[in-house]
Amino acid sequence: ILGSVQKKLPLMALSTTMAESFKELDTESSLGKALEMGCCIQSSLAKILAEFEIALERDVLQPLNKLSEEELPIILKRKKTLQKLISDWNTIKSRLNQAAKSSGNSAGAGTGPGVSSAANKLEILKEEEEEVKRKVEQCKDEYMADLYHFSTKEDSYASYFIRLLEIQAQYHRQSLGSLDSALAELKESHSQTDSPVAGYYGVPLEKHFKSLGREIALPIEACVMMLLASGMREEVGSAPDPLATFLPKMQPPASLPSSPHPQGLFRLAAGALKSYLRELPQPLMTFELYNEWVKVASLKDVDGRIQRLRDTCSRLPRDSYNNLRYLIKFLAKLAEHQEVNKMTPSNIAIVLGPNLLWSQQSAGNPMQLDLASVSSIQVVGVVEALIQNADTLFPGEVDFNVSGMFTPPANG
């Protein structure tokens, strides 16, 4: 019975789905471990819930069902019968009183057949009244006996509701115990997972740098180093829509081949970079300077535009400036090979622009962000101008392996 009840629960369906999902993942990955633990705990919770439902049915619902379908209906039926007999008795008593008055009037008028008939009718009504009265008394005694019998079992009936609360308390204690145990184990396992960048997505730059003692965001450096290692001369932007080639859907690392093609590695790193930039609490080029950047994009004079770009860059917070400089210098290096990789400053700006700059009004609304930024000539224009004038705006060379924690690409 337990197994039958357990299989029908939605928790078991969830457990089965998780079991099927984590088979497709690396069992050592944090997501794989979480799904595996989730599968086990959902199955455990389903078993606890099935035991609760069986105990509830056996110890509470069945006894109370017997009370509601057998014992109480008998008492209520007896009560209804008594009410009907009392109503009949009242009717007969009213008729008897009326007949007694008629008989008295006939007796005062003298003797005769009418007097005899009235007297006979009165006697018949008296007999009927006595019979109904007897039935009322008998039904009343039976009804009182039923009520008394019910009252003697009152404590038993109350105990069913106490048992209900006990079963519920036990169910919640067992469920909470299982969840607490699973959470502790999962958190301990998760804290030991060696994932250097996963904990820094969606975190403000200041907090990220304070915790690691860095100047360049670890996800940005890691992605840039991976892009460098995958080959700057690989053709990745030849399709009509560079978004379709440069930023495909991300796949779990476990699904990648052991030696991925440079294009696949390039796209994976580009997708991770895009995700990190978009998930920052505010864009790398900041909300405060959004209007300034848009104004710069509308300038027609080339020299004036470069000067305004330089001024606006200088107004960036230090952390934002350092990371924008690092990233733009790399993108300019990427664009140097546009004849082969097809990634022109324009293509790159179309791809990364919406993730470097967006208005505060569109924050928190991904659809609005896409519609507002991808189609925005100003945003694309200003990012393209930054790439085209990287050496002027950000003079000097950049050591992309700034932390020294990555293996430099073999091709230098």
Side-chain angles (χ1 to χ4, degrees):
I1 295 175
L2 178 62
S4 176
V5 173
Q6 188 173 343
K7 287 179 181 178
K8 296 178 181 178
L9 295 174
L11 286 173
M12 277 306 297
L14 178 59
S15 176
T16 302
T17 301
M18 287 181 168
E20 293 172 352
S21 299
F22 79 74
K23 290 178 182 178
E24 304 298 326
L25 297 173
D26 181 359
T27 55
E28 294 304 314
S29 70
S30 58
L31 181 56
K33 290 179 179 178
L35 279 172
E36 185 175 10
M37 177 61 72
C39 168
C40 295
I41 188 58
Q42 296 307 320
S43 178
S44 176
L45 290 175
K47 183 175 182 293
I48 294 171
L49 179 56
E51 291 172 345
F52 163 73
E53 292 188 355
I54 291 172
L56 179 65
E57 177 69 23
R58 181 190 63 236
D59 297 345
V60 179
L61 297 182
Q62 287 182 359
L64 289 179
N65 188 60
K66 182 179 179 182
L67 171 66
S68 65
E69 293 190 2
E70 296 179 15
E71 299 182 26
L72 285 179
I74 293 175
I75 296 175
L76 294 175
K77 183 178 179 181
R78 192 90 68 187
K79 179 182 179 181
K80 187 175 181 180
T81 301
L82 178 59
Q83 290 173 336
K84 177 66 169 57
L85 287 172
I86 291 174
S87 177
D88 293 344
W89 188 24
N90 289 333
T91 300
I92 292 176
K93 284 194 291 185
S94 177
R95 289 171 57 198
L96 182 59
N97 290 335
Q98 187 64 37
K101 289 179 182 179
S102 299
S103 179
N105 292 335
S106 298
T111 60
V115 175
S116 177
S117 174
N120 289 337
K121 184 178 181 181
L122 184 61
E123 287 300 321
I124 292 172
L125 286 173
K126 284 182 179 181
E127 290 177 1
E128 288 182 5
E129 190 268 341
E130 287 292 333
E131 177 63 19
V132 174
K133 179 181 178 182
R134 184 188 63 78
K135 290 181 179 180
V136 167
E137 293 296 334
Q138 180 182 353
C139 186
K140 182 179 178 182
D141 290 341
E142 292 171 348
Y143 178 56
M144 293 302 294
D146 289 340
L147 290 179
Y148 177 76
H149 179 68
F150 178 81
S151 67
T152 61
K153 300 170 69 174
E154 183 178 354
D155 288 345
S156 298
Y157 296 135
S159 69
Y160 295 136
F161 293 97
I162 296 174
R163 178 61 180 151
L164 167 62
L165 299 184
E166 289 176 344
I167 294 172
Q168 287 178 318
Q170 182 181 15
Y171 160 68
H172 288 295
R173 275 195 299 268
Q174 289 181 332
S175 297
L176 182 59
S178 296
L179 286 169
D180 283 341
S181 176
L183 274 173
E185 183 177 346
L186 188 57
K187 285 181 178 179
E188 182 179 359
S189 172
H190 193 62
S191 65
Q192 296 172 355
T193 302
D194 184 18
S195 179
V197 298
Y200 304 110
Y201 276 63
V203 177
L205 289 175
E206 299 81 4
K207 182 178 179 181
H208 176 97
F209 298 147
K210 185 177 180 181
S211 65
L212 291 183
R214 299 177 59 89
E215 290 189 353
I216 302 300
L218 180 55
I220 293 180
E221 183 184 353
C223 291
V224 165
M225 291 304 297
M226 188 182 293
L227 290 167
L228 286 168
S230 65
M232 299 289 284
R233 296 178 179 275
E234 293 294 333
E235 182 177 337
V236 295
S238 58
D241 179 8
L243 286 170
T245 56
F246 192 63
L247 297 173
K249 292 182 178 179
M250 294 288 289
Q251 298 294 330
S255 67
L256 291 175
S258 56
S259 299
H261 188 276
Q263 268 196 16
L265 194 60
F266 194 100
R267 294 171 182 176
L268 174 63
L273 176 61
K274 172 191 171 185
S275 296
Y276 174 75
L277 293 172
R278 176 167 291 193
E279 290 179 26
L280 286 171
Q282 76 161 330
L284 200 59
M285 294 168 70
T286 74
F287 289 133
E288 290 76 10
L289 295 177
Y290 177 82
N291 291 332
E292 293 299 319
W293 291 118
V294 170
K295 289 178 182 177
V296 171
S298 64
L299 293 177
K300 303 298 183 183
D301 178 62
V302 176
D303 293 336
R305 175 187 284 194
I306 293 176
Q307 183 58 46
R308 285 289 295 275
L309 283 173
R310 183 183 288 110
D311 293 342
T312 307
C313 286
S314 68
R315 294 173 59 190
L316 284 168
R318 183 174 62 87
D319 292 334
S320 297
Y321 176 86
N322 289 340
N323 282 267
L324 182 65
R325 178 178 183 271
Y326 178 93
L327 186 56
I328 293 298
K329 294 287 277 187
F330 166 73
L331 296 176
K333 186 178 181 67
L334 175 65
E336 289 177 4
H337 306 287
Q338 60 184 279
E339 293 298 326
V340 177
N341 62 28
K342 308 302 181 184
M343 291 309 298
T344 65
S346 176
N347 279 353
I348 298 171
I350 291 172
V351 171
L352 284 182
N355 306 291
L356 289 170
L357 180 62
W358 63 88
S359 69
Q360 195 159 11
Q361 287 73 23
S362 63
N365 188 335
M367 183 171 291
Q368 185 178 353
L369 177 64
D370 288 339
L371 293 175
S373 300
V374 175
S375 63
S376 170
I377 297 176
Q378 291 92 340
V379 171
V380 172
V382 75
V383 173
E384 181 180 2
L386 288 173
I387 297 171
Q388 289 171 332
N389 299 280
D391 290 337
T392 302
L393 298 172
F394 305 107
E397 295 297 319
V398 170
D399 178 10
F400 294 112
N401 192 13
V402 63
S403 68
M405 64 184 294
F406 297 97
T407 303
N411 60 9

